C-alpha cells in the first residue's frame, strides 16, 4: 500500500552531487526537509539540504543512524554499495529499491537483465580473461568497445579496440576487473527517455530527448528529439516496459542508440534523474526532480508537458579555462537560464552547471543554448 510522506517530512538522499541538489531544491520548494549522506562535505546537495551527513557509504553505523532520522530514502548516485542500501532499508523505505541499484550499477548485470527481458541491446560479451577478449573481438568484429563492468560512466573505464593489435593493451587497462565487450554501434544519433513511475504503477514520460556527446560526455540535449513517430512510440514502449519489469519507483532514464537503419538499442539505464532530463527543470510543468520526489513520497505524478521545445548545454570545468566565465553575456538572451552546482573547483571535464533555453523548435532552443555558452568565454 502506498504510504504518503507529507511536506515537512525529511527525505534522505544518498549522494551529494548536482542531481541531489536539484532534487533538494524541488523538495524544499514543496516544504520537505532534505538530509544528504555522502563522504564529502560542502557538496552541491549539502549546500541546499537541511542536513549533510559526511560519512563513508561503508560506515553502516552512520547509515543506520541516518536511516532512522529520515522518512524515506532515495539516491542521486547509483554506485552506493548494496550493504549500505540494505542497512537503510531495515528502517525506512528506499526508492528505487536496492535490487534495482544492484542491477544497474554493473554493466554486465544490467545488460544481462535487459537481454533476458527481451529488450534490444548492443551485442556484448562478458570478459574475464585475455582469451575471452580475443574470442569476443573475433565474434563481435572490430571496432568494439571494452568497458569495465562496475563504476563506469561518461566514458570512464572504456577503451575502443580498433584492431586486434589493441587487445592486449585494452585488457591490461582493466587491471583485473571484469568487463563487458560491446560491438561498436555506428549510430545515427543518441536519444533518451526520462520517465517516472509511482508506487501504484502510474507512468509518466518526457518524450524522446536527443543527446549530443563530446568526448563521451553529454554536451547538448534537446526535446522533442528529431525522430519518426514510430521511433518515438517504440522508445516510450521500451522504457515503460523496463520500468514495469523492474517495478520501478522514482525517476528513471533509458539511454538509447538509434542506428542508421532505425533500430533502437538500449545503451544504459540510470536509476535516478539524468543529465539529459535537466531540460525539464524550468521548461516543463513538473521537472524530473519533482517527479522523483512525488514518486517516493506517494504523491500523484505531475504533468510532463513542455511549455515550449527546450534545450540544455552542459558547462564543464573547461569553460573556466580563461578565468571566470562572462555570465552576463550568456544571459543577454532572455530565454536563457543558468544553473550552477556550487562546485568550487572547475576541473577539466567536471560538470559545473548547465544552461537551458526554450525556442519555437527544439533545434532553435539548441542553437540558443550553444550561442549563450559561446558568449561565456569568447577567447576559449
Ligand atoms: P557509456 O558510459 O556507456 O554511456 O558511454 C558513453 C558514450 O560513449 C556513449 O553515450 C556513446 O557516445 C559512446 N559509446 C559507448 N558505447 C558505445 C558503443 N558500443 N558504440 C558506439 N559508441 C559508444
Amino acid at each position: 500500500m502506498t504510504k504518503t510522506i507529507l511536506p515537512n517530512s525529511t527525505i534522505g538522499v544518498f549522494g551529494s552531487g548536482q542531481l541531489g541538489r536539484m532534487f533538494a531544491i524541488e523538495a524544499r520548494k514543496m516544504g520537505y526537509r532534505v538530509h544528504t549522506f555522502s563522504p564529502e562535505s560542502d557538496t552541491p546537495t549539502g549546500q541546499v539540504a537541511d542536513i549533510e551527513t559526511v560519512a563513508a557509504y561503508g560506515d553502516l553505523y552512520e547509515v543506520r543512524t541516518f536511516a532512522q532520522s529520515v522518512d524515506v530514502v532515495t539516491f542521486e548516485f547509483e554506485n552506493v554499495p548494496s550493504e549500505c542500501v540494505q542497512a537503510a532499508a531495515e528502517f525506512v523505505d528506499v526508492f528505487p529499491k536496492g535490487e534495482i541499484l544492484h542491477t544497474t550499477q554493473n554493466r554486465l548485470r544490467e545488460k544481462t537483465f535487459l537481454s533476458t527481458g527481451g529488450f534490444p541491446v548492443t551485442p556484448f560479451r562478458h570478459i574475464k580473461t585475455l582469451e575471452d577478449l580475443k574470442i569476443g573481438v573475433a565474434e563481435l568484429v572490430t571496432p568494439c568497445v571494452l568497458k569495465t563492468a562496475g563504476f563506469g560512466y561518461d566514458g570512464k573505464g572504456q577503451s575502443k579496440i580498433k584492431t586486434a593489435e589493441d587487445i592486449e593493451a585494452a585488457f591490461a587497462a582493466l587491471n583485473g576487473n571484469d568487463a563487458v565487450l560491446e560491438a561498436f554501434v555506428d549510430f545515427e544519433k543518441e536519444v533518451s527517455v526520462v520517465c517516472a513511475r509511482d508506487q501504484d504503477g502510474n507512468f509518466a514520460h518526457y518524450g524522446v530527448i536527443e543527446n549530443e556527446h563530446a568526448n563521451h560526455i553529454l554536451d547538448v540535449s534537446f526535446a522533442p528529439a528529431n525522430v519518426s513517430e514510430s521511433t518515438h512510440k517504440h522508445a516510450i514502449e521500451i522504457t515503460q516496459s523496463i520500468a514495469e519489469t523492474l517495478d520501478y519507483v522514482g525517476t528513471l532514464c533509458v539511454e538509447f542508440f538509434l542506428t542508421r537503419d532505425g533500430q533502437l538499442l538500449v545503451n544504459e539505464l540510470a536509476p535516478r534523474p539524468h543529465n539529459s532530463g535537466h531540460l525539464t527543470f524550468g521548461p516543463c510543468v513538473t521537472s524530473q526532480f519533482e517527479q522523483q520526489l512525488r514518486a517516493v513520497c506517494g504523491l500523484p505524478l505531475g504533468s510532463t508537458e513542455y511549455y515550449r521545445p527546450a534545450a540544455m548545454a552542459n558547462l564543464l570545468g573547461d569553460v573556466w579555462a580563461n578565468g571566470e566565465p562572462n555570465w552576463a553575456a550568456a544571459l543577454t538572451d532572455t530565454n536563457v537560464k543558468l544553473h550552477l552546482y556550487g562546485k568550487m573547483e572547475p576541473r577539466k571535464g567536471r560538470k559545473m552547471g548547465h544552461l537551458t533555453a526554450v525556442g519555437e523548435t527544439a533545434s532553435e532552443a539548441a542553437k540558443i543554448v550553444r550561442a549563450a555558452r559561446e558568449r561565456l568565454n569568447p577567447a576559449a
Side-chain angles (χ1 to χ4, degrees):
M1 221 189 58
T2 301
K3 185 168 140 205
T4 308
I5 308 284
L6 294 171
N8 265 329
S9 306
T10 304
I11 319 292
V13 180
F14 280 127
S16 59
Q18 59 268 20
L19 302 175
R21 179 186 183 88
M22 289 180 269
F23 174 84
I25 289 170
E26 293 288 44
R28 294 198 63 159
K29 191 182 79 192
M30 283 175 67
Y32 287 91
R33 294 174 183 272
V34 178
H35 184 164
T36 171
F37 185 113
S38 87
E40 283 108 43
S41 60
D42 189 28
T43 58
T45 309
Q47 290 166 10
V48 178
D50 295 80
I51 307 173
E52 180 177 52
T53 291
V54 182
Y57 295 117
D59 184 342
L60 300 186
Y61 173 80
E62 285 294 342
V63 169
R64 290 190 172 100
T65 307
F66 162 76
Q68 287 171 80
S69 73
V70 300
D71 296 290
V72 65
V73 166
T74 187
F75 42 83
E76 65 98 54
F77 169 71
E78 67 261 43
N79 286 320
V80 177
S82 296
E83 313 82 75
C84 167
V85 180
Q86 272 160 19
E90 290 168 17
F91 301 96
V92 69
D93 285 333
V94 180
F95 295 119
K97 55 186 190 234
E99 299 93 290
I100 296 177
L101 203 71
H102 183 71
T103 302
T104 54
Q105 67 188 200
N106 177 286
R107 291 184 195 276
L108 184 67
R109 287 198 289 268
E110 181 173 288
K111 283 191 184 297
T112 306
F113 157 76
L114 289 167
S115 58
T116 311
F119 299 107
V121 288
T122 316
F124 71 97
R125 297 288 184 275
H126 179 193
I127 304 300
K128 281 187 286 199
T129 64
L130 181 60
E131 197 51 31
D132 292 341
L133 184 59
K134 286 181 182 164
I135 296 168
V137 171
E139 287 175 355
L140 296 179
V141 193
T142 53
C144 35
V145 189
L146 187 64
K147 302 179 178 181
T148 49
F151 297 97
Y153 61 96
D154 288 346
K156 293 191 173 76
Q158 290 189 21
S159 51
K160 191 165 171 185
I161 298 179
K162 293 189 188 123
T163 70
E165 279 159 31
D166 298 334
I167 290 178
E168 306 228 346
F171 185 77
L174 293 176
N175 281 322
N177 292 305
D178 266 26
V180 173
L181 181 71
E182 284 178 20
F184 186 80
V185 183
D186 179 24
F187 51 78
E188 189 197 322
K189 56 180 67 173
E190 292 185 80
V191 297
S192 56
V193 177
V194 174
C195 72
R197 188 168 177 275
D198 71 15
Q199 297 169 48
D200 297 325
N202 296 305
F203 176 81
H205 66 82
Y206 293 90
V208 181
I209 300 169
E210 188 160 333
N211 302 319
E212 293 177 5
H213 290 76
N215 302 318
H216 299 279
I217 302 176
L218 186 64
D219 185 40
V220 171
S221 293
F222 49 95
N226 183 15
V227 295
S228 70
E229 222 168 277
S230 69
T231 297
H232 181 276
K233 189 164 166 274
H234 192 39
I236 304 299
E237 280 165 3
I238 294 171
T239 302
Q240 182 163 9
S241 179
I242 291 173
E244 277 166 11
T245 309
L246 290 169
D247 192 19
Y248 198 88
V249 174
T251 294
L252 166 75
C253 176
V254 181
E255 294 178 48
F256 296 94
F257 296 134
L258 178 62
T259 66
R260 294 187 190 278
D261 58 359
Q263 241 191 308
L264 281 166
L265 300 172
V266 177
N267 172 37
E268 221 173 11
L269 306 180
R272 50 169 169 75
H274 187 255
N275 195 166
S276 64
H278 291 0
L279 54 68
T280 64
F281 194 6
C284 288
V285 175
T286 314
S287 73
Q288 61 167 352
F289 307 101
E290 184 177 330
Q291 291 293 46
Q292 183 182 10
L293 176 74
R294 286 171 175 243
V296 306
C297 289
L299 294 173
L301 297 177
S303 163
T304 54
E305 190 186 335
Y306 288 80
Y307 294 117
R308 290 166 77 191
M312 185 261 353
N314 266 341
L315 301 176
L316 302 182
D318 313 48
V319 173
W320 276 252
N322 296 335
E324 190 68 17
N326 187 346
W327 305 118
L331 298 176
T332 49
D333 186 324
T334 54
N335 258 324
V336 173
K337 308 287 275 183
L338 172 66
H339 292 245
L340 289 173
Y341 307 146
K343 297 180 185 176
M344 295 303 139
E345 219 187 301
R347 291 193 299 271
K348 205 169 167 348
R350 187 178 197 203
K351 290 177 182 168
M352 301 293 290
H354 66 268
L355 299 169
T356 58
V358 291
E360 285 305 312
T361 62
S363 67
E364 188 195 77
K367 224 165 150 184
I368 293 170
V369 280
R370 283 183 199 282
R373 190 170 58 182
E374 271 164 32
R375 288 196 299 276
L376 283 175
N377 195 352

